[in-house]
Amino acid sequence: MSAPPAPAAEPAEGAAPASWEAFKTAGNDFYKASKFESAVDSYTQAVECADIGEADKATIICNRAQCRLMLKDYEKAVEDANLVLAVQADNVKALFRRASALEALGKKEDALADFREVRRLQPAVTAAAAGIRRIESELKGGAGFVEAAKGGPRRKITKEEMMQLQELEERVRSVAQQLQVAKDRKQGAASGKRRLELTAEEMSRIPEGTKTYEAVGKMFVMTPLDEVKAHLADKVSAQEKRLKNFEASIEYLEKASKEADSNWMEMVNTIRKA
């Protein structure tokens, strides 16, 4: 491997600004660390770069919508999802995120329409199915009312019952959002692992005795080839562990999501039968 380029110097005054890719990467890193406000800032800087394409801009704005959901900034989440859907009408992530935000804002019918569209485009999205059941059940009872029994009279929901329903509904949304974060992180870890594996494959073709360098911060340090390979193997192993941890988290959250949805439906049915 030939000698690496010199370490990058600090940007000089008047230097070109960072690329949108750099801002996106920073945003992704903040998102993975659950620093959602910082992620929003980085994603915003990315989409404001003049050289970014429409498709990449839509992807980043969709990521920003998820961050705003996690921050419970539902109005802004809807705005971001709208921007994405204006250019990518079938973007399932944007539809689901808008549906979640609309439901949190109390715009049930609009949220229901989005959840149904998600199910039409991707029937396997179980969280959308849960959203449909949840909202249809609420709308069936009418604003502030539930059916006492099928075909029977209606009665007002008590204040205590309404508070319990709202708490359960918030739990459903919270778990769904945590599940989405875990899935996003798993996808990122899988991509990182694949990049490391490809690098390891390239390194395996380098003849023994070749001078190799390894990045240390902003510098490159000459490192024996065997050590570079060993370090890569360690990184691949670490990514595999991260993947397993994310898979375990996803399994747990999927169970928690089903439980939260079941608890909500049980509460609704209890009220109806009262």
Side-chain angles (χ1 to χ4, degrees):
M1 184 182 293
S2 58
E10 292 296 321
E13 185 176 352
S19 66
W20 66 264
E21 291 100 329
F23 286 126
K24 177 187 176 183
T25 298
N28 291 345
D29 289 341
F30 283 130
Y31 177 79
K32 292 172 186 176
S34 298
K35 297 180 179 179
F36 301 116
E37 290 183 353
S38 296
V40 167
D41 291 340
S42 292
Y43 288 145
T44 299
Q45 288 176 299
V47 300
E48 289 175 350
C49 290
D51 61 336
I52 189 171
E54 287 301 317
D56 291 314
K57 181 183 289 188
T59 297
I60 294 171
I61 292 174
C62 196
N63 291 348
R64 189 173 67 182
Q66 176 63 23
C67 292
R68 285 174 162 161
L69 268 177
M70 299 305 295
L71 292 167
K72 298 186 179 181
D73 189 355
Y74 300 122
E75 292 282 1
K76 289 291 186 182
V78 170
E79 289 178 12
D80 277 347
N82 285 341
L83 290 173
V84 177
L85 293 167
V87 294
Q88 297 177 355
D90 291 344
N91 189 307
V92 172
K93 286 186 177 181
L95 281 165
F96 184 82
R97 289 165 187 175
R98 186 172 70 177
S100 299
L102 288 169
E103 184 182 7
L105 291 168
K107 299 178 180 180
K108 307 293 184 179
E109 292 183 353
D110 291 337
L112 179 59
D114 278 350
F115 279 135
R116 284 173 173 166
E117 183 65 5
V118 171
R119 286 286 284 174
R120 185 186 72 81
L121 293 168
Q122 285 192 14
V125 181
T126 56
I132 292 169
R133 290 196 304 272
R134 189 168 59 249
I135 296 174
E136 283 182 340
S137 181
E138 290 184 24
L139 294 178
K140 185 178 180 181
F145 293 86
V146 292
E147 293 180 75
K150 187 175 181 181
R154 295 173 181 268
R155 69 169 176 84
K156 281 190 175 182
I157 300 178
T158 66
K159 183 177 180 180
E160 182 180 352
E161 288 170 339
M162 181 60 72
M163 289 178 64
Q164 288 178 313
L165 282 172
Q166 289 173 343
E167 288 175 2
L168 289 170
E169 185 175 321
E170 178 59 30
R171 171 64 177 165
V172 169
R173 280 198 299 269
S174 175
V175 173
Q177 290 167 8
Q178 291 175 53
L179 180 58
Q180 184 60 55
V181 170
K183 287 181 177 179
D184 289 343
R185 288 177 176 172
K186 177 189 173 184
Q187 184 177 2
S191 297
K193 177 174 175 285
R194 182 56 183 156
R195 286 194 297 271
L196 288 169
E197 289 172 337
L198 290 172
T199 302
E201 287 179 17
E202 291 295 323
M203 294 295 293
S204 68
R205 301 188 184 98
I206 297 176
E208 293 295 331
T210 302
K211 290 183 179 180
T212 53
Y213 296 80
E214 196 167 31
V216 179
K218 293 184 178 181
M219 301 177 63
F220 287 89
V221 178
M222 186 178 292
T223 308
L225 180 59
D226 288 345
E227 286 188 26
V228 174
K229 290 180 178 179
H231 293 165
L232 275 172
D234 289 342
K235 290 177 181 178
V236 170
S237 178
Q239 286 294 84
E240 288 175 347
K241 290 180 181 178
R242 289 187 69 213
L243 274 171
K244 289 180 180 178
N245 288 337
F246 288 138
E247 287 168 357
S249 294
I250 289 169
E251 182 179 358
Y252 168 79
L253 288 168
E254 284 177 339
K255 290 179 180 178
S257 179
K258 291 178 181 178
E259 181 181 353
D261 186 52
S262 176
N263 289 341
W264 190 91
M265 290 301 300
E266 183 179 350
M267 179 67 183
V268 170
N269 290 330
T270 298
I271 294 172
R272 284 177 173 169
K273 294 174 182 177

